């Protein structure tokens, strides 16, 4: 049922379906993860994800998603300074790169949306720290996704952890409600004030996605018109889970 401001509360059976789709999406991400190594192209990773999703009765949610032009692939593959929406291509991964893979699966009409970032071969200590802080920011944000908390409590917790480590969060890109549409309400920024915004309640489902930049919070869109990178060329990372608010603990929908 639609509750308020484009926010659609999901029933228990709907959340069950979202978990099934989330598991397929997690399997696709896991299959991609196992193939990440120097010399692999991001186009090859894209093919792996698409095949796994279709083999399990899902549809790639990102494929043909409206934008500057219909999104042409199953995954976003964003390397180093690229933060989100990187286009798969013939570019080969190199030792020391970090790569973010974002993927969406539509299953029985519901979308699952999730992302991770990892190193290719050996990465620097600084890059590893960025990955650790970004993953922790997601975990900390998820912990705040309990009924009665405000959306601002989630946002503020993410911001505090990221900025407390000397990094930055973008202003133009955020988490979002997820369900029959990939982007529903509420918007969940990666910065904000505790006690502000919507009060969470059971049935709210959110794709929570901290994006973190090393240099500044500024971003730019590359000439391909999809890829979003840090404005200063510094490294970026991104982790995401689709999560349901329940009567009890937050339920991560996009895990194996
Ligand atoms: Mg995503
Ligand atoms: Mg998302």
């Amino acid at each position: 049922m639609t509750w308020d401001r484009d926010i659609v509360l999901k029933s228990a059976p709907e959340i069950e379906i979202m978990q099934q789709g989330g598991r397929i999406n997690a399997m696709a991400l896991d299959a991609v993860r196992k193939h990440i190594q120097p010399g692999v192209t991001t186009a090859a990773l894209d093919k792996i994800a698409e095949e796994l999703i279709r083999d399990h009765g899902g549809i790639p949610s990102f494929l043909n998603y409206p934008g500057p032009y219909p999104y042409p692939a199953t995954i976003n593959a964003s390397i180093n300074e690229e933060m989100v929406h990187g286009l798969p291509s013939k570019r080969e991964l190199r030792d020391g790169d970090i790569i973010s893979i974002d993927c969406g699966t539509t299953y029985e009409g519901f979308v699952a949306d999730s992302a991770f970032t990892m190193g290719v071969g050996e990465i620097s200590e600084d890059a590893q720290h960025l990955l650790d802080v970004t993953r922790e920011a997601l975990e900390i944000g998820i912990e705040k996704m309990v009924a009665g908390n405000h959306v601002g409590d989630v946002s503020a917790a993410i911001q505090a952890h990221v900025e407390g480590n000397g990094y930055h969060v973008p202003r133009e890109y955020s988490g979002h409600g997820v369900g029959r549409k990939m982007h529903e309400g509420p918007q969940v920024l990666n910065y904000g004030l505790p006690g502000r915004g919507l009060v969470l309640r059971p049935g709210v489902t959110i794709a929570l996605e901290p994006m973190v930049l090393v240099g500044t919070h500024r971003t730019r869109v590359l000439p391909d018109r999809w890829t979003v990178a840090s404005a200063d060329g510094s490294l970026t990372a991104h982790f995401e889970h689709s999560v349901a608010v329940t009567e009890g603990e937050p339920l991560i929908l996009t895990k194996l």
Side-chain angles (χ1 to χ4, degrees), residues 62 102 113-114 209 238 240:
F62 295 2
D102 194 344
D113 186 9
S114 182
E209 48 183 316
H238 175 216
E240 177 179 29

Side-chain angles (χ1 to χ4, degrees), residues 20 55 87 94 98 103 120 145 159 205 226 238 240:
Q20 291 167 15
D55 284 351
L87 296 172
R94 304 203 317 200
I98 59 171
C103 188
V120 181
M145 282 189 53
Q159 181 181 20
T205 47
W226 269 106
H238 175 216
E240 177 179 29

